[in-house]
Amino acid sequence: MLGERDFDDWADRYDQSVAASDAAGAYPFAGYERVMDSIFSRVTARRGARVLDLGFGTAVLASRLYDAGCEVSGQDFSTRMVGIAREKMPRARLVRGDLADGLAPELANGPYDAVVATYSLHHLDDARKFALIRALLGLLSEDGVVLVGDVAFRTRAELESCRAAAGDAWDEDEIYFVFDELSREFPAATFERVSPCAGIIAIPRGQALA
C-alpha cells in the first residue's frame, strides 16, 4: 500500500497519470473527470457551500470549489500535496493528517454542507470507512450530504468483473466500495454508476437519525 512518501513523490505527476488513465477508459481512473464534474455540480448548487474535502490530493476538485466561492476545509496525509493545495487555495483551512487515524480534531467542528471524498477512502478497510462516515454525518448541516466519488461498484459481482478485466493492473491493497454492502449500514444512501470502475455514493445527513 502506498504511504505518505509515495504520494509525496507522485504529487507532481499525479494529475497527468490520472488523466491518461481516464482518457484511455482504463482502471482505475476511467470516469474520473465525470466524477469530479458531477460532485462539483451537486456541491455548487448551494451558493457559498461549506465543504470538507477528505484526501484532496492536488486539489483538483477542491480548488474548483474554492474558486466557485465555497468555503473549503480539507485533510490529506501527503505533505507535498498539502503544499500544492495551499498554493491554489491560500485561504482554505487545510490540515495534514492520515484518515486511517480519523478526522483531524481541528476539522471536527462543522457544520459542513457537503463532505466530499474523491479517490481517497479506498485506502481504509470497510470498518474504518463506515466509522468515519458515521462521524462525518454528525458534522453536516441540516440538509448536508456526504459525497464519495471513487473506484466503486454496485455489486460484488461487478467488482470481480472489473478485477478480471484489469488483470495484473488490479491493486490488491485497495479496498473498494461495494454499494450493496455499504447500503446495509446506510439505507438512505444512493449510488450513481459513472464508468465500469467508478461511482458516486451520496449519504444524506438524515441517515444519521435512521
Side-chain angles (χ1 to χ4, degrees), residues 61-83:
L61 176 61
S63 64
R64 289 179 65 189
L65 295 170
Y66 179 90
D67 291 342
C70 295
E71 181 182 317
V72 175
S73 301
Q75 178 173 332
D76 196 281
F77 84 150
S78 165
T79 301
R80 175 61 181 148
M81 288 186 175
V82 171

Side-chain angles (χ1 to χ4, degrees), residues 83-153:
I84 291 171
R86 282 182 175 148
E87 291 175 2
K88 296 179 180 180
M89 305 181 297
R91 295 185 305 279
R93 182 174 57 157
L94 305 178
V95 176
R96 198 202 73 77
D98 192 340
L99 291 172
D101 299 323
L103 186 64
E106 54 265 55
L107 297 175
N109 49 357
Y112 300 105
D113 301 311
V115 177
V116 302
T118 53
Y119 296 86
S120 56
L121 299 188
H122 55 244
H123 300 293
L124 306 181
D125 62 33
D126 283 348
R128 284 179 172 174
K129 284 190 188 80
F130 297 163
L132 178 60
I133 290 170
R134 289 197 181 280
L136 295 171
L137 290 170
L139 300 178
L140 293 174
S141 59
E142 184 174 354
D143 56 351
V145 63
V146 173
L147 294 167
V148 178
D150 211 322
V151 179
F153 307 91

Side-chain angles (χ1 to χ4, degrees), residues 16-84:
Q16 291 85 353
S17 60
V18 168
S21 174
D22 190 6
Y27 162 89
F29 292 114
Y32 178 90
E33 187 172 346
R34 283 178 287 159
V35 166
M36 297 297 182
D37 287 346
S38 180
I39 293 178
F40 174 82
S41 296
R42 291 186 66 160
V43 173
T44 55
R46 177 167 185 155
R47 187 177 181 87
R50 295 160 294 182
V51 183
L52 174 62
D53 190 333
L54 299 181
F56 51 77
T58 58
V60 171
L61 176 61
S63 64
R64 289 179 65 189
L65 295 170
Y66 179 90
D67 291 342
C70 295
E71 181 182 317
V72 175
S73 301
Q75 178 173 332
D76 196 281
F77 84 150
S78 165
T79 301
R80 175 61 181 148
M81 288 186 175
V82 171
I84 291 171

